[in-house]
Amino acid sequence: MIRLPENIAHFANGMAFMFFVLLSIRLYEYRNHNRLMRFFFWEMLFFSFIELSNMIYLIDGIWDNDYISNISLIFDSLTVPVSMIFMFEIISPGWVTLRKMIFLLSPSILFLIFYIIFPSWTLFYANTIYSNILGIITVVIVFLASSKYDNYIKKNFSYTENMSLSWLRWIITPLYLTLFVWTFIIWQPSWLGDAFYYLFTVIIWMFIYHFLWKHVIIDVPELLNPFSKTKEEDLIISVGDMMDYDNNHPFAQKLNNCMENDRLFLNPKLSIADLAAVVGTNRTYLSDYLNKQLHTTFYEYVNTFRVKKACELLDTGDNINLEIIAESCGFNSLSTFRRSFLKEIGTTPLQYKKSIRN
């Protein structure tokens, strides 16, 4: 019974190792599908190696050997910059280059090399502090850049399914929490703490795999570069530099006709580029018109017409399935239909449907 916590930790380590190995095998086939899948494959392969290296604790006496244990922990901390690079590739496809990877990985690698040659607790704790600071920086950048990413999508697409990075903002906090748990284990060594860390790490990456498998990569402007100096307003022509929309830009009236009469909103994959081509203008002018004249995004503008169409179908009183209504109005999913309907009407489609019957 005395070795039970240790055995649980070793079991969790083995489980994590098998998880990352199997995920690497799964991703191997798709590694050349796109850059993101290639990054994901190497990320999981790296995590497999990390978990394999942690199996040295199966050797008696290693746990109590500070030098080897600290080398192992510093090596583990490489997961922080590696994960940071991976997150940046998700947010800004193509931004990561070999030079940038070397730049982001170098400090952690140098900490490892210097500790091997000149072992000291000062170096060890300095690496721990650096890893946590890097983790915090990653969280901040992910929140800011992914929000810009989603804002860009809403300005250019009438749907956000599998393109939005809201899931990344939701998952980055528990991912950072794994770093906190790792730090806590350093200060308060515990076999059960190790087991919790392995289990928590596996769960987080299961969720990341789930979302990434469906994620649709889109071309994004320099605006989404985490370190870009380009501001959003520099990419859009200001209203002051444009002629009056209604008097000199007939696309304003044509836009309304395309939506009201031609019902282009019924296209579930409608993008701002598609709509701009139909009304005879460019994407930038149309985006600026929607944002600064109508005070809305392309995503909200199109879904307003879809919700209006949905109300017409619901007002008939026919017992039509909500999923069928959503699809017939141009919505890609029932969840998006519900969110848009609630925002526009102030009630859910089901509640609206019941009120019609009453």
Side-chain angles (χ1 to χ4, degrees):
M1 290 296 294
I2 296 177
R3 295 178 61 87
L4 181 59
E6 181 180 348
N7 291 335
I8 292 175
H10 291 320
F11 174 79
N13 180 202
M15 178 191 67
F17 171 68
M18 288 305 301
F19 169 77
F20 289 118
V21 167
L22 291 174
L23 198 52
S24 298
I25 294 174
R26 168 67 170 162
L27 292 169
Y28 179 80
E29 182 182 353
Y30 299 93
R31 72 190 189 285
N32 294 323
H33 186 66
N34 54 53
R35 268 177 57 102
L36 185 55
M37 281 299 154
R38 187 157 59 250
F39 271 78
F40 198 17
F41 165 72
W42 286 109
E43 176 96 0
M44 294 300 94
L45 202 61
F46 175 74
F47 269 77
S48 300
F49 187 68
I50 288 287
E51 301 304 338
L52 179 62
S53 69
N54 286 335
M55 291 185 183
I56 63 169
Y57 292 111
L58 287 168
I59 304 173
D60 289 336
I62 294 298
W63 177 266
D64 298 317
N65 186 313
D66 289 340
Y67 177 69
I68 297 179
S69 293
N70 288 349
I71 289 177
S72 176
L73 288 169
I74 294 176
F75 184 62
D76 284 352
S77 70
L78 281 170
T79 58
V80 180
V82 168
S83 297
M84 184 185 201
I85 291 169
F86 180 59
M87 293 296 163
F88 285 173
E89 179 61 26
I90 297 174
I91 294 171
S92 187
W95 179 82
V96 178
T97 61
L98 180 60
R99 180 179 296 180
K100 291 170 182 175
M101 287 176 62
I102 293 173
F103 172 77
L104 293 173
L105 287 169
S106 292
S108 296
I109 294 175
L110 288 175
F111 271 118
L112 178 61
I113 294 173
F114 278 116
Y115 184 85
I116 293 174
I117 301 174
F118 310 106
S120 72
W121 284 102
T122 300
L123 274 175
F124 177 76
Y125 289 131
N127 174 73
T128 303
I129 294 171
Y130 169 76
S131 297
N132 276 272
I133 292 175
L134 196 63
I136 294 173
I137 291 174
T138 303
V139 171
V140 172
I141 291 178
V142 166
F143 266 95
L144 294 178
S146 64
S147 295
K148 286 184 178 181
Y149 187 104
D150 283 354
N151 189 42
Y152 174 80
I153 288 175
K154 288 186 176 181
K155 287 183 176 181
N156 292 273
F157 298 90
S158 63
Y159 58 100
T160 61
E161 284 77 18
N162 301 328
M163 291 195 300
S164 171
L165 288 181
S166 58
W167 65 269
L168 189 59
R169 293 192 295 277
W170 171 80
I171 215 165
I172 191 65
T173 301
L175 186 61
Y176 174 75
L177 186 58
T178 61
L179 177 61
F180 177 81
V181 172
W182 175 80
T183 305
F184 180 78
I185 293 172
I186 289 177
W187 294 97
Q188 298 290 331
S190 165
W191 286 115
L192 289 179
D194 271 11
F196 176 78
Y197 169 76
Y198 292 132
L199 179 62
F200 196 62
T201 300
V202 167
I203 292 174
I204 292 299
W205 283 101
M206 282 178 62
F207 275 105
I208 292 176
Y209 169 75
H210 168 74
F211 287 110
L212 274 186
W213 193 252
K214 301 183 297 181
H215 182 62
V216 176
I217 301 172
I218 61 171
D219 293 328
V220 293
E222 182 70 10
L223 162 69
L224 304 180
N225 182 328
F227 301 113
S228 173
K229 295 181 180 179
T230 306
K231 296 181 180 179
E232 186 171 3
E233 54 267 27
D234 294 334
L235 299 177
I236 301 176
I237 303 174
S238 66
V239 174
D241 294 332
M242 299 173 64
M243 301 175 71
D244 180 72
Y245 286 111
D246 295 321
N247 295 329
N248 299 290
H249 286 268
F251 81 76
Q253 183 59 44
K254 190 172 182 180
L255 172 64
N256 190 63
N257 290 335
C258 286
M259 300 301 284
E260 289 282 3
N261 302 324
D262 299 336
R263 300 194 169 188
L264 295 185
F265 61 85
L266 294 179
N267 176 8
K269 296 291 186 179
L270 184 67
S271 70
I272 196 168
D274 298 331
L275 188 56
V278 173
V279 300
T281 186
N282 62 57
R283 181 180 60 81
T284 304
Y285 272 71
L286 180 55
S287 178
D288 207 37
Y289 172 70
L290 295 174
N291 299 158
K292 298 182 178 179
Q293 289 288 313
L294 302 186
H295 306 291
T296 187
T297 63
F298 175 71
Y299 173 81
E300 293 168 342
Y301 175 74
V302 174
N303 283 334
T304 296
F305 288 93
R306 291 172 176 167
V307 169
K308 182 180 178 181
K309 172 65 177 177
C311 287
E312 292 175 2
L313 294 177
L314 290 170
D315 287 341
T316 62
D318 295 335
N319 191 23
I320 308 176
N321 185 280
L322 291 180
E323 195 167 343
I324 294 176
I325 291 178
E327 184 177 347
S328 62
C329 293
F331 287 102
N332 261 336
S333 68
L334 186 58
S335 59
T336 302
F337 171 47
R338 286 171 177 158
R339 285 195 301 270
S340 299
F341 197 94
L342 179 61
K343 182 175 181 180
E344 190 71 23
I345 306 301
T347 184
T348 66
L350 184 59
Q351 291 171 335
Y352 185 89
K353 187 177 181 180
K354 289 180 179 178
S355 68
I356 293 299
R357 291 180 177 178
N358 296 331

